[in-house]
Amino acid sequence: MLVAQIVLVALSLELLLPVEYQWIYDVDREWQIPTTVTSTQLALVAAVALITAWLARGRPIWRRFYLVAIALMFLYLAWDGQFSIHEAIPNWQTVYAGVGAFVVISTFAVVEASPRSARIWHVCLVGGLALTTFSAIVLDYHRDVPNCLILQQTPATGCPVSVLEEALEFMGIWISLIGLLGQFSEAISSPPPLIRRLLLAFPALWILAHPSLLLFVEYQFTAQPAAVRYEENIWLKGYRVDRGEEAITLAFFTQAVSWGKENMLGYSVHLVDQLTGESIAGADALVDRNYIWKKKASVFRQQITVEIPPEAPANRALWLVLTFWREEDGDYLPRTITASDRQALGEGQVVLSELALPAETDTSTAEGQYIFDDRFALDRVELPASAMAGASLQINFAWSSDADGSEDFVQFLHFYHEESDEWWGYDQQPLGPRFPTRLWYEGLADTETWEIPLPANLAPGKYQAFTGLYRPGDTARLPVKDATGKPLADARAPLGKITIGKQ
């Protein structure tokens, strides 16, 4: 790990790689490789302190509590180094300095109770912590120092001291680790093999479980890529939708050159009925500015959960819609989309996904009168015995599904006039535009009443009715079987006869 940190400092000084790769190793950025290494280093210090407190049973209880407190402090620093928790603490420099002073005073008390040969380890712990505090507070406060000799820059250009700051932090943490390892060796002369293996494996375990790695994997391999650009150079780069029975969680990745905390930039996510355009559920939040990594612009991860109300309609096509907005004087002004590879609703809303909420159904009584493509079943048809030309004809269809849908199909309804040998037809989606077949799911059972306007010039007489499903793209019909499994000719199912009269 020490070698890795030396390499990272050299990279930050642009000694090994050109500046275009700075986003990978920039020590002045959170959620980068350097912060992950530093976080692992701090967590290792905490682990050594905890194990020492656990195994040093011969030490006074107050000294063991002291080690636990040291472990918790370094564990907090490991978390803070990745998530910048201190930015939410007012006057954090003063708070950190006070905690450091308390640690120094407590360590002096421990030194007084320790043999002379062991005091060097306490000095290393305090000295390393002091060096880390100095670099994190003093140098961080004076980030732009003219005429910096390390980078040999002129006063005109100024000199960012982030590289020096992070290098000193690396060194300070290592000195503290040496101090605690010395105390560990002094307290436990022969540690169990399991403990030795645990300490050796700890850095790898911490990195594998580290949020930055998990989020990077999520962004690269599980998120749906997107390219949606808003005004002010805000980009939607990817997203992932997780559906639950009572809520939908959206995690998405955005990119921006800079987001000031004073800008009050936020976003809204809504479930929108595709047929009516009404929102049935939604949630709002301000953007999270803890970025994951930075190349030319910072990548931020946002997550929000939309609770599904109990009265939300089932078996309807819904859009999951994202909107960015900015609060200005109490108004929430949507940000305009300037480019998008996703469907947009208006100038500021982008459709990320579509879905349907399943209904609780009992399919045990479904007859399965006709089976289409071994997936969809037409269970029941209520065809009236007669109707009048020029009037409206009502037909009830009951459908069920044994598989999830993936594409749209259209249902045709054909009427064959026996006397004239003529055909008349009417087509629409099986359950209407509210619920296209691409969103059907396994276990679906639903009904739809068709309102068919009959032409006024329709010849009177008896008609045979047929129905079936076809793809709208190539008009290819889905094969259909009857209840016995017999394939039906022309991929159409007979529904019976109807008499149509004149008004």
Side-chain angles (χ1 to χ4, degrees):
M1 190 178 294
L2 178 60
V3 174
Q5 290 177 335
I6 294 174
V7 171
L8 289 172
V9 172
L11 288 171
S12 297
L13 290 172
E14 302 174 20
L15 298 178
L16 300 181
L17 288 177
V19 70
E20 57 262 28
Y21 296 100
Q22 184 181 4
W23 68 277
I24 300 175
Y25 54 77
D26 190 352
V27 297
D28 195 32
R29 305 293 181 184
E30 279 73 21
W31 292 93
Q32 307 289 68
I33 294 176
T35 55
T36 301
V37 174
T38 301
S39 174
T40 304
Q41 185 184 19
L42 288 164
L44 181 58
V45 176
V48 173
L50 277 177
I51 292 175
T52 304
W54 174 39
L55 295 180
R57 295 182 176 87
R59 298 294 176 89
I61 189 66
W62 67 271
R63 291 190 60 176
R64 297 173 69 183
F65 275 122
Y66 162 81
L67 289 172
V68 171
I70 292 293
L72 293 177
M73 180 188 68
F74 275 97
L75 190 61
Y76 167 81
L77 292 176
W79 206 248
D80 179 54
Q82 193 67 64
F83 295 98
S84 299
I85 303 173
H86 64 273
E87 293 183 359
I89 302 176
N91 301 318
W92 67 268
Q93 293 93 340
T94 303
V95 175
Y96 275 39
V99 173
F102 177 78
V103 171
V104 170
I105 294 172
S106 302
T107 303
F108 280 146
V110 175
V111 168
E112 288 296 325
S114 302
R116 184 176 298 273
S117 60
R119 292 179 180 179
I120 183 62
W121 308 126
H122 300 288
V123 172
C124 287
L125 172 62
V126 174
L129 189 59
L131 183 59
T132 302
T133 303
F134 171 79
S135 60
I137 296 179
V138 178
L139 292 183
D140 185 74
Y141 184 76
H142 301 284
R143 299 189 69 81
D144 294 323
V145 180
N147 199 17
C148 177
L149 297 179
I150 291 181
L151 298 184
Q152 298 180 354
Q153 292 183 337
T154 64
T157 59
C159 173
V161 297
S162 58
V163 176
L164 176 61
E165 172 200 340
E166 296 295 335
L168 291 178
E169 283 191 33
F170 288 162
M171 187 181 303
I173 300 169
W174 271 116
I175 295 174
S176 296
L177 178 60
I178 291 172
L180 277 170
L181 285 173
Q183 296 183 49
F184 173 80
S185 300
E186 180 197 22
I188 307 123
S189 58
S190 181
L194 178 61
I195 297 299
R196 292 199 299 267
R197 296 190 187 99
L198 178 62
L199 287 175
L200 289 174
F202 183 83
L205 295 175
W206 178 266
I207 291 174
L208 288 175
H210 205 273
S212 61
L213 178 63
L214 297 177
L215 293 179
F216 184 81
V217 171
E218 176 190 24
Y219 176 71
Q220 292 292 338
F221 300 105
T222 66
Q224 177 74 25
V228 183
R229 181 177 182 178
Y230 297 81
E231 57 183 335
E232 304 176 11
N233 283 327
I234 301 170
W235 287 85
L236 173 67
K237 305 297 292 183
Y239 60 92
R240 195 189 79 249
V241 179
D242 292 327
R243 291 182 55 183
E245 294 183 359
E246 300 179 351
I248 296 175
T249 299
L250 171 67
F252 62 98
F253 297 86
T254 55
Q255 191 175 69
V257 176
S258 64
W259 281 349
K261 293 183 178 180
E262 71 281 357
N263 288 337
M264 298 301 291
L265 183 66
Y267 59 93
S268 301
V269 177
H270 286 269
L271 280 177
V272 177
D273 191 306
Q274 294 185 20
L275 191 60
T276 65
E278 297 180 354
S279 173
I280 66 170
D284 312 299
L286 292 174
V287 296
D288 186 347
R289 292 174 173 82
N290 287 326
Y291 59 79
I292 305 172
W293 62 87
K294 182 169 183 176
K295 191 174 182 180
K296 293 182 179 179
S298 301
V299 176
F300 302 79
R301 183 185 187 274
Q302 317 292 332
Q303 180 168 313
I304 191 169
T305 298
V306 178
E307 303 290 339
I308 301 174
E311 65 275 11
N315 292 352
R316 295 188 71 89
L318 306 175
W319 281 315
L320 187 67
V321 176
L322 172 67
T323 306
F324 276 100
W325 45 261
R326 190 179 300 285
E327 181 183 356
E328 296 180 7
D329 299 326
D331 294 327
Y332 299 89
L333 307 178
R335 301 294 89 187
T336 301
I337 298 172
T338 59
S340 177
D341 65 344
R342 293 290 184 273
Q343 179 183 355
L345 302 180
E347 296 182 348
Q349 295 181 313
V350 61
V351 176
L352 299 185
S353 180
E354 66 172 356
L355 61 142
L357 305 178
E360 295 183 3
T361 56
D362 181 10
T363 60
S364 59
T365 59
E367 301 173 1
Q369 184 175 355
Y370 298 110
I371 310 297
F372 292 85
D373 200 30
D374 294 325
R375 291 184 290 169
F376 309 133
L378 180 58
D379 299 318
R380 188 179 69 257
V381 180
E382 296 177 0
L383 179 68
S386 62
M388 300 298 294
S392 178
L393 170 64
Q394 287 189 351
I395 303 180
N396 296 324
F397 293 96
W399 288 91
S400 60
S401 177
D402 289 334
D404 293 337
S406 58
E407 57 183 319
D408 286 332
F409 296 103
V410 176
Q411 181 180 354
F412 65 82
L413 190 61
H414 289 173
F415 295 91
Y416 172 65
H417 191 220
E418 296 177 344
E419 296 180 8
S420 64
D421 199 32
E422 294 182 354
W423 292 85
W424 180 80
Y426 183 85
D427 298 359
Q428 75 166 47
Q429 294 168 307
L431 293 178
R434 66 176 174 91
F435 198 26
T437 56
R438 67 179 181 273
L439 296 178
W440 286 14
Y441 53 89
E442 182 180 359
L444 162 75
D446 203 348
T447 61
E448 182 73 11
T449 299
W450 287 28
E451 294 281 348
I452 304 173
L454 297 177
N457 60 353
L458 201 61
K462 290 186 178 295
Y463 287 78
Q464 293 182 12
F466 301 88
T467 193
L469 298 176
Y470 68 90
R471 293 184 180 88
D474 56 9
T475 67
R477 294 181 182 180
L478 266 66
V480 57
K481 302 175 182 178
D482 63 15
T484 65
K486 176 184 177 182
L488 300 180
D490 296 327
R492 63 183 186 184
L495 302 180
K497 295 185 177 182
I498 181 173
T499 300
I500 297 179
K502 274 205 176 282
Q503 290 184 338

